[in-house]
Amino acid sequence: MLDPRLLRNDPQSVAVALARRGFEFDAAGYAALEEKRKALQTRAESLQAERNQRSKAIGKAKAAGEDIEPLKEAVAGLGAQLDQAKAELETIAEQLNDIQSGLPNLPDADMPDGADEDDNVVVRHWGEPPSFDFEVADHVAVGEKLHGLDAATAAKITGARFTIMQGGVARLHRALIAYMIDKHVASGYTEVNVPYIVNSKSLYGTGQLPKFGDDLFRLAEPDDYYLIPTAEVPVSNMVAGEIVEPERLPLRYVAHTPCFRAEAGSAGRDVRGMIRQHQFEKVELINIAHPDQSDACHEAMLASAESVLQDLELAYRVVDLCGGDIGFSAARTFDLEVWLPSQQTYREISSISNTRDFQARRMGARYRDAETGKPRLLHTLNGSGVAAGRALVAVLENHQRADGSVGVPAALRPYMGGIDVIEPTVE
RNA sequence: GGAGAGGUGGCCGAGUGGUCGAAGGCGCUCCCCUGCUAAGGGAGUAAGGGGUUUAUAGCCCCUUCGAGGGUUCGAAUCCCUCCCUCUCCGCCA
């Protein structure tokens, strides 16, 4: 949510800023609605003030043993007027609120302009895409050869966009997760284990609702809950409604969770393999920061995620998302894209965003300002460190060998019982 | 699931229809005292919103005692619904 004061005082500048991300904001219409709101609110509040005053007078008269009947008669007409004024105000307030909750975040000044992902700016590359002296297989073929990936059986059990991992591949997946969590904990993150099911309020707080409900799996019964699309939702909402003492900042959390996404609207995309699943696992980094710290936190999170890929010996590039590609809640986002030999291209494996006070305002997440003692909105940041499913894909593809085996990066060997290669198993 | 208790400010905790945004305590801030430390004395200290305004200063006003309805001139206090927490029982990983 954007600062309502900014929307009121300078809707035109908001419209200009949001246009950079291809969002059309009707500043004039909003301003007109605001004018109405102001008039209605002033009227409702002055009626309320009058009634409060009169009621107080009745109280005093009664305490003094006076006859209060005439005083009560004098208030008689006020109630109906007040109710009507309140109802009118509420109608307008709802309209304003609907508009506000649908507005995406203001982009940072540094965010690149652009219409779509083709306009994202490549910041840097790390590592060389590996060369192979045999014909590379994609991760599906590699996984099948290892008897480690089985989409068909998962489809029987559930449906499309699910996978069964087994044997060495399942263990590799688990190793990736354990390694990543341990690494981030070693660099100062606090490991948290959080609910994978959340209520709508939490999803509103991080910005998935009300606009993006179609992307979510919803549990209608026995409660109106949702499966999380990312750990960002439960972890960020840990500070919802809280006032955090400044000396605790930044809060740095790492969480491993499954993520559930309906993938509405992506039918036909990445249908083969594990790139785009309804269920995948992710190690997520969350920072809850003082506004002065948030840029530094953003950089540090990016570095943390990068070092995972470096440890895994995977070539990647860092991309600065442009206005046409950046997410609803983010002011600035860096993606990590890992090299996939089968596709001869870089694919997203991590997305690291600073939402500034956008989510904090929706969640009511604040810190106490050391100087003024007043509560101020926090900044929240989230980033994958990294997506486990896609990391598995990247390792299978980049470390595959001609004989169908897959090399285990040194960083993962302690988590793989010391083995340095996954061999095809006989069923 | 059954029975009971409870949800009040940063925290703890009083408060069963009016003068209560709310006693008291803790914490915090400032001042005084004490040659350090500890203790002591005094003052202050909720949040959100609107109007006015160059202003997140001041002033005026509204709202908020788990959430939402209701009764009433007036609700933290009474009634209804829901949510959450705790205790005991049941069940269960």
Side-chain angles (χ1 to χ4, degrees):
Chain A
M1 195 128 85
L2 304 181
D3 184 357
R5 201 166 306 218
L6 176 66
L7 280 166
R8 190 155 51 234
N9 295 337
D10 194 2
Q12 193 50 43
S13 80
V14 172
V16 169
L18 293 185
R20 292 189 60 209
R21 43 190 307 160
F23 188 92
E24 200 175 312
F25 173 51
D26 176 9
Y30 187 87
L33 216 50
E34 250 306 315
E35 279 304 311
K36 270 193 193 168
R37 191 226 90 233
K38 187 196 278 194
L40 287 169
Q41 182 162 339
T42 305
R43 175 174 155 73
E45 287 187 356
S46 67
L47 283 168
Q48 183 76 54
E50 187 179 347
R51 198 196 66 182
N52 288 348
Q53 219 173 359
R54 289 180 184 250
S55 291
K56 216 166 241 186
I58 291 175
K60 277 184 186 161
K62 197 181 175 189
E66 296 167 16
D67 179 17
I68 60 171
E69 284 311 314
L71 290 172
K72 284 172 79 166
E73 277 172 35
V75 206
L78 263 182
Q81 283 184 62
L82 182 57
D83 285 346
Q84 197 196 333
K86 274 183 178 169
E88 287 171 11
L89 174 61
E90 198 182 338
T91 306
I92 295 287
E94 263 172 38
Q95 289 178 37
L96 282 167
N97 190 52
D98 286 350
I99 294 172
Q100 286 167 13
S101 60
L103 295 178
N105 201 358
L106 295 176
D108 279 5
D110 297 340
M111 181 202 72
D113 284 308
D116 55 40
E117 61 180 15
D118 295 334
D119 295 323
N120 292 339
V121 173
V122 177
V123 177
R124 59 177 167 269
H125 287 81
W126 185 92
E128 285 293 318
S131 53
F132 296 90
D133 53 11
F134 56 92
E135 194 174 337
V136 294
D138 71 2
H139 69 278
V140 177
V142 174
E144 282 173 354
K145 216 167 194 177
L146 297 173
H147 299 290
L149 289 182
D150 181 358
T153 303
K156 175 182 72 180
I157 298 167
T158 308
R161 293 202 192 281
F162 289 89
T163 297
I164 289 171
M165 292 175 269
Q166 61 180 4
V169 173
R171 183 169 194 182
L172 179 62
H173 183 251
R174 180 162 54 90
L176 280 163
I177 291 161
Y179 147 73
M180 290 190 280
I181 294 172
D182 285 353
K183 181 180 180 68
H184 296 312
V185 167
S187 62
Y189 284 83
T190 301
E191 181 176 359
V192 290
N193 187 286
V194 292
Y196 306 152
I197 296 174
V198 295
N199 59 32
S200 58
K201 196 177 171 187
S202 295
L203 287 158
Y204 176 83
T206 34
Q208 283 80 12
L209 290 180
K211 278 186 104 168
F212 307 105
D214 287 351
D215 295 331
L216 301 169
F217 281 103
R218 184 174 188 172
L219 306 175
E221 300 288 343
D223 289 297
D224 192 12
Y225 291 154
Y226 297 78
L227 298 178
I228 57 169
T230 161
E232 170 195 347
V233 179
V235 179
S236 298
N237 274 285
M238 283 169 66
V239 292
E242 302 287 328
I243 300 175
V244 182
E245 292 305 326
E247 57 271 17
R248 294 179 59 209
L249 299 175
L251 300 173
R252 306 202 295 158
Y253 296 117
V254 55
H256 158 234
T257 72
C259 304
F260 302 93
R261 298 189 182 176
E263 293 296 345
S266 48
R269 286 173 60 194
D270 302 311
V271 285
R272 178 174 165 84
M274 286 183 70
I275 298 285
R276 192 174 300 277
Q277 301 272 286
H278 286 309
Q279 171 188 318
F280 62 96
E281 296 185 39
K282 193 152 61 77
V283 172
E284 185 79 359
L285 305 175
I286 299 290
N287 274 203
I288 310 292
H290 187 285
D292 295 343
Q293 304 169 322
S294 78
D295 282 318
C297 286
H298 199 185
E299 288 295 324
M301 291 168 76
L302 178 58
S304 290
E306 282 188 65
S307 84
V308 167
L309 298 186
Q310 291 169 12
D311 283 359
L312 297 177
E313 301 157 41
L314 297 169
Y316 66 88
R317 64 181 191 182
V318 180
V319 169
D320 192 350
L321 296 197
C322 74
D325 199 29
I326 196 168
F328 179 76
S329 298
R332 188 85 182 276
T333 297
F334 294 104
D335 272 8
L336 259 45
E337 296 181 339
V338 69
W339 177 259
L340 290 188
S342 71
Q343 299 187 10
Q344 287 292 296
T345 187
Y346 291 93
R347 293 296 306 261
E348 177 188 342
I349 193 169
S350 173
S351 191
I352 300 159
S353 301
N354 189 348
T355 78
R356 305 219 174 266
D357 63 12
F358 184 84
Q359 293 179 327
R361 187 173 288 107
R362 296 168 84 101
M363 295 192 292
R366 298 169 297 172
Y367 68 97
R368 193 167 292 286
D369 186 273
E371 286 188 9
T372 65
K374 298 291 180 192
R376 288 280 132 80
L377 291 171
L378 286 159
H379 279 194
T380 62
L381 302 95
N382 65 84
S384 12
V386 299
R390 289 190 180 178
L392 181 83
V393 168
V395 170
L396 291 180
E397 293 204 1
N398 283 278
H399 296 296
Q400 65 178 296
R401 296 174 183 174
D403 64 359
S405 64
V406 172
V408 177
L412 295 180
R413 287 173 204 158
Y415 298 92
M416 294 288 290
I419 64 169
D420 58 9
V421 64
I422 303 172
E423 304 280 1
T425 53
V426 183
E427 288 270 305

